[in-house]
Amino acid sequence: MREELAGRLRQLRDLTGRSLRELARDIHVSSSSLSRYFSGQAVPPWPTVVALCKAAGRDPRPLRDVWERAKDGPRTSTAATLPVRNDLPHDITAFTGRRAELDALLGAARNTSVRNTPVVAIDGMGGVGKSALAVHAAHLLTADFPGGQLCVDLHGFTPGRGRVEPAEALRVLLAALGLPPGTIPDGVAERAALWRSELAARRALVLLDNAADADHVRDLLPGAGQSFVMITSRRRMVELDGVQPISLDVLPAQEAAELFVESAGGARPGDVGEVLRRCGNLPLAIRVAAARLRHRPAWTLDTLVERLREGELAVSDVFEMSLRQLDPAQRRMFGLLGLVPGEDIDAYGAAALAGIPLANARSLLEDLVDVHLVQERAPGRYRMHDLLRQAARADDAAADPVPAIARLGDYYLSGMLAVKRLVEIVIPLPVMVSQPPPALPDLSGYDTAVDWMDTEWVNLVATFSLAVELRIDAPAVGLGQLALISHARRGGMAQLRHGLEVSLPAAERLGECRVLASHRYLLGAALMRVGRLEEAVPELEAARVLMAAEGDIVGEAITLLQLAEIRVYAADAEVAVGLLRQATALLPPHEAAARVRVRTGLGQALVELGRYGEAHEVVAEVIETARGLDRQTERMCLDVLGRAALGLGDARAALDFAEQAVGLSRATRHPVFEAASLTDAAVALCHLRRAEEATARHAEAMRLLERAGEPHRMVRGLLPYAEACRVAGDRDAAARHFQSALEIAAAHGINYLMSAARAGLARVS
């Protein structure tokens, strides 16, 4: 019965439309207690149930019987009701030695108590096996911690990458515990408090890998509870009270010999001690040397030692020894991989990076995997260990990185252009690919193309940033512009705006008028999408002048469409209609996609003017054409038809149009546009007096937009929904949503909507 009660309580929470913190404040219950009630971990006191019902505007009496049965029924175990994750990396093969350290770890983990969560910090030099020991111990302890095994790489010492800050690490950890993004607060202190509260009810194992220092992990440590935490770092955590330290040195001779023999695939004739001395008994160096021997059946240990005789071998010398065994093509690929700015790379990217055929790149990557110079963390995806990345960069330090990064940028540009062909982007984007890549994956299908874009997104952004830094202008501009495809779908217009701003000097240096025109157009559109209307207008006007000079009538018309949308936002729809009629006159009949977009914009402006019948006619004329273009263009038409229908008093038709639009956005994996149509559905349901369904649609829309990082769209969704609640007679709900809109607009500088929110509040107060 606890599960049934928890489900009913979650429904009440959704009906309130408030965040966990807001709800806790309003009914005078801690957010951690509410979290346990909503997840079924605990049964709330009856007065708390009554308070929740009051906040949601519901009668508590129907819940009394459910509450009584949940209170008196059998208790379910926490482990059975909480989401369980196992995020541990694969256990290392041929794990050898570290018996005393391993026993200390296992002993600390199994001596947990409710009063204090044990924390062990494993420190030592790079490559000494800190992560290997922690992961191996974690796998042995899996059964002891049924609440889950969580792991986060903090990248405290990852070359070429900034560390994961505590706020982001806490977000990842809380999400791994199953908390919805909308319930995770913004501040580090609030996230840390919620993390401690959530972990207190679980018996979980947490691995915080590759920490920079004590301050890096201080906010990530749990409080009371039966969980267990392991930290790995190159620095000792002397500043952390109560943390048990385990310091790793290089392996003892016997353990080093066992590791070498196991990694080499068995014993060979010769002096293993000499090999180990050359390797400094460092586990990573031993594995690299052993891998070379394993794949050379004719070698003895003496043969290997001959390769190591040039002076005393430090860690870098071990890598140099391994590099000397590579042929020139393998060594070149190793050096180039050290330049990769992202998390990993696929074979297509590696082929482009090196400027060689795909088959050659695959062969070279497999060679490097065989000798443990590259890791294949997932099929077809390759990355370097931190120390090996350093070695690769040092080995190729004299080489100019610009040609390789330019080729890699052209690979990502070519892939994004393949995605663009499956998406109706009306504005011309004259992206320049200087050197087409040797090969591209099959991106002919929409879902396959979107999957590729999502998989490569972090790498693409990192390559864009490096191209900007190195002044590789064509890829910097192209990637900055084509990022529109991802941000329009998944959200993050603020990131798009930033990327366009930092790459604007590159667009100016290219000296191509059309390139600069599209760049300024996109920057203006991005500024508008984040609510910066006054800043958007000059960028769009500048783009329009450039497009007119180039005879780009499609670009000029679409720029007029954006300027008209700004006028609609600014409650000046009459001017917007004039701009859109001007755009229509520019376009010849064969420019179908642009004409549909402009007519849809005109329909929306007419809706804002209350000319609903005319708006319906304008869009109804082009919807069949839209269906022959792409599903998102059709969705735009449906959105306007639904709003016109609502204005004409047909809320049922409005709901049908909105639901069709939601389906199209889900099919094309566009959560941002899905949220807009969900808001339209919520407004229609509100007019139909179907309040609970309306609240559910609205809450879903807000969750999507919050996850996407789109505060401007959140405010634009809250205002019409609040007004619909007011019209339907639910003044309390209207006041809540107007207040939320005002707070979000104020927090994000969306000044032009603050007056509308204040006016709405005044109407319902």
Side-chain angles (χ1 to χ4, degrees):
M1 293 309 299
R2 281 194 180 192
E3 290 78 7
E4 181 182 354
L5 178 63
R8 300 283 288 274
L9 295 178
R10 289 194 295 271
Q11 290 176 0
L12 292 172
R13 175 198 62 194
D14 292 343
L15 285 170
T16 69
R18 299 176 221 181
S19 70
L20 190 68
R21 284 190 296 168
E22 291 170 336
L23 196 56
R25 179 194 62 209
D26 293 346
I27 67 173
H28 307 294
V29 176
S30 72
S31 58
S32 60
S33 295
L34 280 181
S35 179
R36 290 194 293 274
Y37 301 153
F38 292 148
S39 66
Q41 298 174 49
V43 175
W46 177 246
T48 300
V49 177
V50 173
L52 279 169
C53 289
K54 183 178 179 181
R58 292 292 181 267
D59 184 353
R61 286 173 292 184
L63 274 179
R64 183 73 190 200
D65 182 58
V66 178
W67 178 80
E68 291 281 0
R69 283 180 286 147
K71 177 173 66 72
D72 298 333
R75 294 180 175 268
T76 56
S77 69
T78 299
T81 60
L82 294 174
V84 175
R85 289 276 291 265
N86 187 329
D87 296 335
L88 297 176
H90 183 70
D91 197 3
I92 193 166
T93 57
F95 185 87
T96 303
R98 305 293 192 198
R99 189 69 254 170
E101 294 88 349
L102 187 59
D103 287 344
L105 273 174
L106 300 180
R110 289 164 178 162
N111 288 330
T112 58
S113 68
V114 177
R115 298 182 62 185
N116 194 21
T117 296
V119 180
V120 173
I122 307 169
D123 62 76
M125 65 180 292
V128 80
K130 302 179 295 294
S131 297
L133 173 63
V135 169
H136 184 64
H139 279 280
L140 294 177
L141 290 165
T142 297
D144 295 84
F145 293 89
Q149 298 79 43
L150 310 180
C151 178
V152 59
D153 187 345
L154 298 172
H155 291 291
F157 294 93
T158 302
R161 169 168 179 160
R163 72 184 202 174
V164 177
E165 295 299 333
E168 175 62 10
L170 285 165
R171 185 197 66 77
V172 171
L173 290 166
L174 288 167
L177 291 181
L179 273 70
T183 67
I184 299 175
D186 291 330
V188 175
E190 292 82 3
R191 287 184 179 182
L194 182 57
W195 164 243
R196 291 191 295 270
S197 173
E198 288 293 324
L199 213 59
R202 309 169 190 245
R203 183 172 170 83
L205 185 149
V206 182
L207 172 54
L208 306 174
D209 196 22
N210 200 5
D213 50 34
D215 287 338
H216 198 183
V217 295
R218 198 181 304 278
D219 290 316
L220 312 184
L221 299 182
Q226 292 184 296
S227 294
F228 177 58
V229 178
M230 288 186 285
I231 305 167
T232 71
S233 178
R234 296 185 190 181
R235 295 181 182 173
R236 295 180 176 178
M237 300 288 168
V238 294
E239 299 93 339
L240 296 179
D241 293 333
V243 172
Q244 178 178 338
I246 294 179
S247 295
L248 297 188
D249 200 350
V250 296
L251 289 170
Q254 182 60 38
E255 293 181 6
E258 291 172 1
L259 175 61
F260 181 85
V261 171
E262 181 72 18
S263 301
R268 300 276 183 96
D271 185 2
V272 68
E274 179 63 17
V275 174
L276 298 177
R277 282 191 291 275
R278 300 285 179 181
C279 293
N281 283 16
L282 189 68
L284 180 60
I286 291 170
R287 290 181 184 279
V288 172
R292 298 305 301 162
L293 188 64
R294 187 182 189 114
H295 293 277
R296 300 293 187 276
W299 283 15
T300 65
L301 292 179
D302 293 334
T303 309
L304 180 58
V305 169
E306 287 177 8
R307 306 300 196 273
L308 309 175
R309 286 206 181 274
E310 296 179 7
E312 290 299 322
L313 191 67
V315 177
S316 58
D317 296 324
V318 173
F319 296 147
E320 177 58 33
M321 175 279 303
S322 186
L323 296 180
R324 284 201 298 269
Q325 307 307 314
L326 302 178
D327 64 34
Q330 292 168 339
R331 186 154 185 168
R332 176 174 180 265
M333 177 62 81
F334 177 76
L336 289 170
L337 291 174
L339 300 175
V340 172
E343 289 277 351
D344 61 5
I345 196 168
D346 66 0
Y348 295 92
L353 185 73
I356 59 176
L358 176 63
N360 293 16
R362 280 182 169 148
S363 177
L364 291 172
L365 288 166
E366 291 304 317
D367 290 343
L368 295 173
V369 169
D370 287 343
V371 296
H372 293 270
L373 290 174
V374 169
Q375 300 167 336
E376 188 176 13
R377 68 172 191 176
R381 304 210 63 84
Y382 303 90
R383 69 179 300 275
M384 274 186 166
H385 185 281
D386 296 352
L387 294 178
L388 290 166
R389 187 185 294 266
Q390 289 177 346
R393 291 177 174 177
D395 185 58
D396 210 26
D400 180 6
V402 168
I405 299 304
R407 292 191 296 266
L408 184 61
D410 280 337
Y411 164 64
Y412 289 124
L413 273 180
S414 300
M416 290 298 290
L417 286 171
V419 177
K420 178 180 176 291
R421 285 191 284 272
L422 302 171
V423 181
E424 192 64 52
I425 303 293
V426 180
I427 192 72
L429 296 179
V431 174
M432 295 181 291
V433 177
S434 303
Q435 185 172 336
L440 278 176
D442 180 9
L443 302 177
S444 57
Y446 181 85
D447 285 332
T448 302
V450 170
D451 286 341
W452 175 86
M453 180 171 61
D454 287 348
T455 299
E456 296 290 355
W457 187 247
V458 172
N459 300 324
L460 189 150
V461 171
T463 301
F464 161 76
S465 297
L466 187 56
V468 170
E469 178 186 336
L470 297 175
R471 295 169 68 100
I472 310 173
D473 291 339
V477 172
L479 291 175
Q481 293 186 7
L482 290 171
L484 166 72
I485 299 172
S486 179
H487 287 305
R489 181 176 69 87
R490 300 194 308 174
M493 278 292 150
Q495 291 91 331
L496 176 63
R497 168 197 173 185
H498 174 73
L500 291 164
E501 286 176 338
V502 299
S503 55
L504 180 58
E508 292 169 339
R509 286 194 297 268
L510 286 174
E512 294 285 340
C513 188
R514 286 179 179 247
V515 171
L516 183 58
S518 63
H519 209 86
R520 300 201 73 166
Y521 163 85
L522 289 171
L523 179 54
L527 285 163
M528 177 182 68
R529 295 293 175 219
V530 298
R532 304 285 184 170
L533 305 189
E534 293 182 358
E535 299 170 57
V537 170
E539 292 296 336
L540 290 169
E541 291 288 6
R544 182 184 172 195
V545 169
L546 290 168
M547 290 168 176
E550 289 291 307
D552 180 2
I553 57 174
V554 171
E556 189 177 357
I558 297 301
T559 304
L560 284 168
L561 170 63
Q562 297 297 318
L563 288 166
E565 188 168 352
I566 289 175
R567 300 320 310 161
V568 169
Y569 284 179
D572 195 358
E574 287 285 4
V575 172
V577 168
L579 291 170
L580 290 162
R581 296 201 188 282
Q582 184 181 348
T584 301
L586 279 173
L587 292 169
H590 66 272
E591 293 292 352
R595 289 183 69 84
V596 170
R597 295 290 178 88
V598 170
R599 299 293 282 177
T600 304
L602 177 59
Q604 182 58 42
L606 292 168
V607 166
E608 296 295 326
L609 290 172
R611 293 155 60 179
Y612 304 115
E614 189 178 349
H616 176 88
E617 291 177 7
V618 164
V619 178
E621 290 176 359
V622 297
I623 190 167
E624 288 305 319
T625 303
R627 290 189 174 114
L629 295 170
D630 77 325
R631 288 176 286 183
Q632 276 302 313
T633 303
E634 180 185 355
R635 187 270 311 164
M636 294 176 190
C637 293
L638 291 170
D639 283 344
V640 177
L641 289 172
R643 293 161 193 164
L646 189 67
L648 292 168
D650 192 347
R652 293 188 183 279
L655 177 61
D656 181 59
F657 283 126
E659 296 288 16
Q660 290 182 57
V662 169
L664 287 173
S665 288
R666 285 177 178 166
T668 53
R669 297 157 64 179
H670 277 72
V672 170
F673 298 139
E674 178 188 343
S677 301
L678 280 167
T679 296
D680 287 347
V683 170
L685 286 164
C686 210
H687 281 270
L688 291 168
R689 298 298 195 273
R690 291 157 63 177
E692 290 191 9
E693 295 174 75
T695 298
R697 298 287 202 291
H698 173 69
E700 186 177 359
M702 290 300 106
R703 283 194 294 269
L704 288 172
L705 292 175
E706 187 171 8
R707 185 180 298 119
E710 290 290 335
H712 182 220
R713 288 185 181 272
M714 290 180 71
V715 178
R716 292 197 63 81
L718 282 162
L719 290 174
Y721 183 62
E723 183 62 24
C725 290
R726 186 191 70 80
V727 171
D730 191 346
R731 300 174 72 85
D732 289 342
R736 285 198 307 274
H737 298 312
F738 279 128
Q739 183 63 39
S740 294
L742 180 60
E743 291 174 358
I744 295 171
H748 294 276
I750 310 170
N751 299 328
Y752 83 98
L753 290 176
M754 292 175 66
S755 59
R758 290 194 183 100
L761 277 172
R763 288 196 298 274
V764 296
S765 60

